[in-house]
Amino acid sequence: MTTDADGDLTVALLDQLRAAAAAGRPLNLRGAGTKTGLGRQVAAGTAPLDLSGHSGIINYQPKELVVTARCGTTLAAIEAALAEHGQHLPCEPPRLGVGATLGGTVACGLSGPARPSGGAIRDLVLGARILTGRAEVLRFGGEVMKNVAGYDCSRLMVGAFGTLGVLLDISVKVLPSPAVSRTLVQDCGQPEALARMERWAAQPLPITASCWIDSGDGGRLWVRLAGAAQGVRAAAERIGGEPLADADAIGFWEDQVREQGHAFFQGDLPLWRCAVPAATPLLELPGPQLLEWGGAQRWLRSADAPAVIRALVARVGGHATLFRGGDRTGEVFQPLSAPLLALHRNLKRAFDPAGILNPGRLYQDL
């Protein structure tokens, strides 16, 4: 076990974890609580492990394009520090609530509208210091790409929902913010929107986000261009469409899409996130759909049976996640094949042999 350099907070977390392991008492990892509705419902009888106090930016080197922060550091604080130097988190991770933290974002594997151009949050993680279920503090990766060698265990933590370890500190890659950004809106139905996005994907266009929404009269397609002024201007002329004012564009991408404030995301119907090959034709599923990521991410509001939705999405080479609503005690993520489930169980035993970290949050038996 390595020595903790950050003092009393990590020592306190270690003590709590040791006590829980000795008593066989499962723990529910919690930061700001903005992601409690994601994943499966944690098994009953868990005790909270509060991580919100373990916060603060440890190291930020603008010239090196990397920032290291503790798990409880808010995305707002990190983004504000980056903005002072004209930089940003290129995947535009959604907050989904006030006080959203870096640890929760990484643990849930969340990426926003810019994921196709900026990469997923997993691509940005360079290193991490974690607390395992064995009460060991381990460090993986580093703060530059060349240090990411051997087993890249830091990225195993991305999307693991805290079932493998407590993320203490995380180093992530950042990028300069684009010089200019422009959003264009076009009227078209979903099949035509898919055809246009597939055609644009084969061209050298500075598209950083796309979104199609059924407007009730055929649908509308939003496309965001970003980069150097000359390149954005030339691409806008090539694509065409109605330009959106800067303030309206920011409100659309940040509030309505990234933070799911659009009317599509409201209501009681279960919200499904379907990840499919971008060129997949229209999914014949009951319920309204919203398309992102050039057609690779398709949101669905539907009360149809989970097995029906997952079977159709699997047939086109994708997977479906019950993102919000519905039965949170059942399987929320696409069921794993037997070999993959065995691999997950082996990883769980290696990092958390007593099974005390967020039991059941990812899959029922993990």
Side-chain angles (χ1 to χ4, degrees):
M1 182 178 71
T2 61
T3 301
D4 173 40
D6 294 325
D8 295 341
L9 277 174
T10 301
V11 171
L13 292 175
L14 273 167
D15 289 342
Q16 291 179 66
L17 198 145
R18 289 193 185 103
R25 183 177 68 252
L27 295 171
N28 180 9
L29 281 55
R30 183 181 176 90
T34 60
K35 312 297 186 299
T36 54
L38 305 183
R40 297 183 71 255
Q41 181 177 310
V42 177
T46 58
L49 183 65
D50 184 12
L51 304 171
S52 59
H54 191 66
S55 62
I57 295 176
I58 299 172
N59 186 28
Y60 174 34
Q61 299 292 333
K63 291 184 179 180
E64 299 297 331
L65 298 176
V66 61
V67 61
T68 301
R70 298 184 180 94
C71 64
T73 311
T74 65
L75 287 181
I78 293 173
E79 290 171 344
L82 297 179
E84 291 181 4
H85 296 273
Q87 297 178 351
H88 71 303
L89 295 169
C91 70
E92 292 182 318
R95 302 178 187 180
L96 302 182
V98 177
T101 63
L102 177 63
T105 298
V106 172
C108 294
L110 297 179
S111 301
R115 189 261 182 259
S117 60
I121 187 68
R122 177 177 279 105
D123 302 324
L124 305 182
V125 173
L126 301 177
R129 195 168 61 100
I130 68 169
L131 174 58
T132 73
R134 299 175 182 270
E136 298 173 326
V137 178
L138 304 177
R139 188 184 299 275
F140 299 100
E143 294 185 316
V144 292
M145 287 300 297
K146 65 181 180 181
N147 285 345
V148 183
Y151 293 108
D152 194 2
C153 293
S154 56
R155 294 185 183 181
L156 276 179
M157 305 297 140
V158 183
F161 279 79
T163 59
L164 297 180
V166 180
L167 284 162
L168 295 175
D169 314 328
I170 311 161
S171 297
V172 294
K173 178 182 178 182
V174 301
L175 288 178
S177 299
V180 298
S181 177
R182 181 180 300 183
T183 295
L184 303 170
V185 185
Q186 302 177 352
D187 293 320
C188 64
Q190 186 179 140
E192 178 59 25
L194 287 168
R196 293 180 187 182
M197 289 187 288
E198 182 180 4
R199 185 168 63 250
W200 294 334
Q203 302 176 32
L205 297 169
I207 296 176
T208 61
S210 58
C211 178
W212 179 88
I213 307 176
D214 187 352
S215 60
D217 56 356
R220 307 197 83 189
L221 173 62
W222 281 261
V223 183
R224 186 180 65 193
L225 307 166
Q230 184 176 355
V232 169
R233 182 168 57 252
E237 294 174 355
R238 188 171 181 176
I239 289 177
E242 175 188 350
L244 206 60
D246 289 346
D248 293 337
I250 292 173
F252 176 76
W253 294 112
E254 292 190 2
D255 300 332
Q256 298 193 47
V257 180
R258 188 179 75 172
E259 302 305 329
Q260 299 188 346
H262 191 275
F264 171 86
F265 295 104
Q266 313 308 313
D268 298 327
L269 278 176
L271 176 65
W272 288 85
R273 175 186 175 270
C274 304
V276 298
T280 301
L282 177 70
L283 293 176
E284 297 294 342
L285 287 169
Q289 296 182 34
L290 182 151
L291 277 56
E292 278 194 275
W293 300 0
Q297 177 164 267
R298 307 190 187 183
W299 297 97
L300 169 71
R301 302 304 302 259
S302 178
D304 210 355
V308 173
I309 294 173
R310 289 194 170 112
L312 189 149
V313 174
R315 281 200 297 271
V316 299
H319 61 270
T321 299
L322 182 56
F323 192 81
R324 189 164 57 241
D327 181 13
R328 312 309 295 184
T329 62
E331 291 301 350
V332 170
F333 300 97
Q334 189 87 13
L336 298 172
S337 63
L340 279 178
L341 182 58
L343 180 60
H344 276 254
R345 284 174 174 162
N346 288 337
L347 285 171
K348 179 69 171 175
R349 282 194 292 267
F351 284 93
D352 180 26
I356 62 172
L357 299 178
N358 275 4
R361 183 76 186 272
L362 192 61
Y363 289 98
Q364 186 172 359
D365 298 327
L366 294 175

